[in-house]
């Protein structure tokens, strides 16, 4: 099971919004953010674009913004409701391999994601893998190498993300795609602009959790997964 981080597991928009505000910029509301083309995600909409662009033209300003985003992300970013329990449940299940492939844009993103997970009582060392890749790099090759490296039958391999690129990468690597529309692209953009099948889109974290547990033949009650369960798996 391969997860994207930002917009899938982590409510990254709130950290981005806070970083924008810290530097006197406005990213706009979440609904408009979800519908923007990727190039314009971090420049704002028509109302915000001119002011934000002036603030981001200077290289030193961009460097300071990235530093602020990293600090806010590490100190404040939260997982979506239910995701911590889900991850703990998957980690504790012996025959499931689970991890993250992310294009997180903070400084030293592995450290950033480790701190976010740690705040939710998840030790990143218990994941089977964590790969943070450059912003412009495709995920399909990583998906394929992970599946092959663990010897996973493509029929039992899943990848979940919140953008069309995640969907395409999963298909190109022979994995079953699971897509969410509560992240960086909304339901309408995914279905109308990219023809993603509505049947595989989860509108809420709860819907994704239910869908995934069913796909993996796991019971829906994940509330009582503990670190002891995870330690038990590690000892086996």
């Amino acid at each position: 099971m391969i997860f994207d981080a930002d917009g899938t597991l982590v409510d990254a928009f709130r950290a981005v919004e806070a970083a924008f505000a810290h530097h006197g910029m406005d990213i706009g509301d979440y609904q408009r953010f979800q519908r923007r083309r990727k190039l314009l995600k971090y420049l704002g909409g028509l109302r915000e674009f001119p002011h934000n662009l002036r603030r981001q033209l200077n290289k030193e300003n961009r460097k300071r913004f990235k530093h602020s985003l990293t600090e806010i992300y590490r100190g404040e970013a939260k997982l979506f409701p239910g995701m911590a329990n889900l991850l703990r449940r998957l980690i504790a299940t012996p025959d499931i391999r689970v991890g993250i492939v992310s294009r997180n844009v903070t400084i030293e993103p592995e450290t950033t994601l480790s701190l976010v997970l740690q705040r939710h009582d998840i030790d990143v060392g218990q994941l089977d893998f964590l790969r943070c890749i450059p912003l412009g790099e495709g995920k399909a090759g990583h998906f394929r190498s992970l599946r092959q490296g663990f010897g996973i039958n493509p029929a039992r391999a899943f990848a979940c993300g919140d953008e069309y690129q995640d969907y395409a990468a999963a298909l190109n690597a022979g994995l079953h795609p699971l897509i969410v529309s509560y992240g960086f692209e909304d339901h309408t953009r995914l279905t109308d602009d990219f023809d993603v099948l509505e049947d595989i889109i989860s509108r809420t974290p709860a819907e994704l959790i239910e869908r995934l547990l069913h796909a993996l033949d796991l019971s829906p009650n994940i509330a009582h997964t503990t670190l002891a369960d995870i330690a038990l798996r590690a000892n086996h």
Side-chain angles (χ1 to χ4, degrees), residues 52-122:
N52 291 346
L53 183 61
R54 287 196 298 271
R55 292 293 183 113
Q56 295 186 36
L57 282 176
N58 182 283
K59 183 177 180 180
E60 190 61 30
N61 284 348
R62 293 197 300 272
K63 183 177 179 180
R64 284 196 292 265
F65 174 80
K66 190 170 185 178
H67 178 78
S68 296
L69 177 62
T70 301
E71 292 301 309
I72 291 170
Y73 203 117
R74 292 180 179 183
E76 302 177 18
K78 298 179 180 179
L79 299 185
F80 285 109
M83 290 303 172
N85 280 338
L86 174 65
L87 284 175
R88 286 193 289 268
R89 174 67 181 279
L90 298 180
I91 290 171
T93 303
D95 59 346
I96 291 179
R97 295 290 170 260
V98 58
I100 296 171
V101 175
S102 172
R103 294 193 193 92
N104 182 275
V105 296
T106 63
I107 300 167
E108 297 181 350
E110 292 90 348
T111 299
T112 297
L113 292 177
S114 295
L115 290 172
V116 174
L117 292 172
Q118 182 178 320
R119 270 206 315 281
H120 292 80
D121 198 25
I122 298 170

Side-chain angles (χ1 to χ4, degrees), residues 31-43:
Q31 288 70 34
R32 288 188 295 128
F33 174 83
Q34 287 184 302
R35 294 169 187 156
R36 287 179 205 145
R37 296 181 183 276
K38 197 169 187 67
L39 182 64
L40 301 176
K41 283 285 187 189
Y42 300 100
L43 290 176

Side-chain angles (χ1 to χ4, degrees), residues 178-195:
L178 296 168
I179 303 298
V180 303
S181 61
Y182 55 77
F184 280 20
E185 290 178 340
D186 71 1
H187 191 272
T188 300
R189 181 163 172 75
L190 288 167
T191 54
D192 292 359
D193 293 359
F194 297 119
D195 294 325

Side-chain angles (χ1 to χ4, degrees), residues 196-230:
V196 176
L197 292 173
E198 186 170 4
D199 309 68
I200 64 169
I201 299 176
S202 297
R203 293 178 180 265
T204 66
E207 186 177 353
L208 171 66
I209 292 168
E210 181 181 11
R211 185 190 301 267
L212 182 55
L213 292 178
H214 184 264
L216 297 174
D217 292 325
L218 297 174
S219 64
N221 182 14
I222 62 173
H224 302 295
T225 302
T226 66
L227 290 178
D229 298 322
I230 297 172

